[in-house]
Amino acid sequence: MAPEMDVEIREFQAGDATAFRELNEEWISRYFVLEPKDVESLVDPKAKILDRGGRIFLAVRSGRPVGCCALVAMAPGEYEVAKMAVTESCQGAGIGRRLLAATIAEARTMGAHRLYLETNSRLTPAIRLYESLGFRHLPPERIVPSPYARANVYMELDFANVR
């Protein structure tokens, strides 16, 4: 694959819902099963994410979405980083890092003071990526039960503790 430089990171646009759904279904189905909470977000990302104060970003290569990442509004100044995916054929080229870095930068611009995410211990490359960009593991006493059965790793990026 060509370097990640030929990839554009952009906001979700009308017509992107199918790509958002397919990118997420690809990775979730590869490792886990789609859960009701997944289906809820993937069927109508505009209503479930965008209309509630969230944002969705896509990585586009040669006019085709190859990755995505959402910021889901949780509370004032707090967002969940969710539904992050890079299609399998494009993994390992730095697209995920660039997509997540852009998502974090936009969250800062939006005035976020905290980002939260849930993942699974099987996804070690993703966990290493999150750690490398400043996310830290939450201690057990701060973990809130997840609607996802697969979630067993909980992390946050507290902008007060990061430059």
Side-chain angles (χ1 to χ4, degrees), residues 19-35 38 42 66-70 80-89 91 99 117-127 130 148-153:
F20 180 70
R21 179 180 49 77
E22 289 174 350
L23 285 163
N24 278 286
E25 285 176 349
E26 176 189 337
W27 81 263
I28 295 168
S29 298
R30 186 178 331 125
Y31 296 102
F32 309 102
V33 297
L34 282 173
E35 298 182 43
D38 293 313
L42 297 177
V66 297
C68 59
C69 188
E80 179 181 3
V81 173
K83 302 297 180 248
M84 183 167 172
V86 174
T87 193
E88 190 172 20
S89 65
Q91 291 176 358
L99 183 60
L117 66 82
E118 299 175 350
T119 189
N120 183 279
S121 56
R122 288 179 61 191
L123 305 175
T124 53
I127 293 169
Y130 301 139
Y148 295 100
R150 66 179 174 265
N152 66 3
V153 175

Side-chain angles (χ1 to χ4, degrees), residues 108-145:
R108 278 184 190 264
T109 299
M110 295 163 57
H113 59 82
R114 177 180 181 257
L115 297 180
Y116 168 81
L117 66 82
E118 299 175 350
T119 189
N120 183 279
S121 56
R122 288 179 61 191
L123 305 175
T124 53
I127 293 169
R128 285 195 301 266
L129 172 62
Y130 301 139
E131 290 169 341
S132 75
L133 289 175
F135 282 86
R136 298 293 170 246
H137 294 265
L138 287 176
E141 66 272 11
R142 292 203 39 228
I143 294 172
V144 176

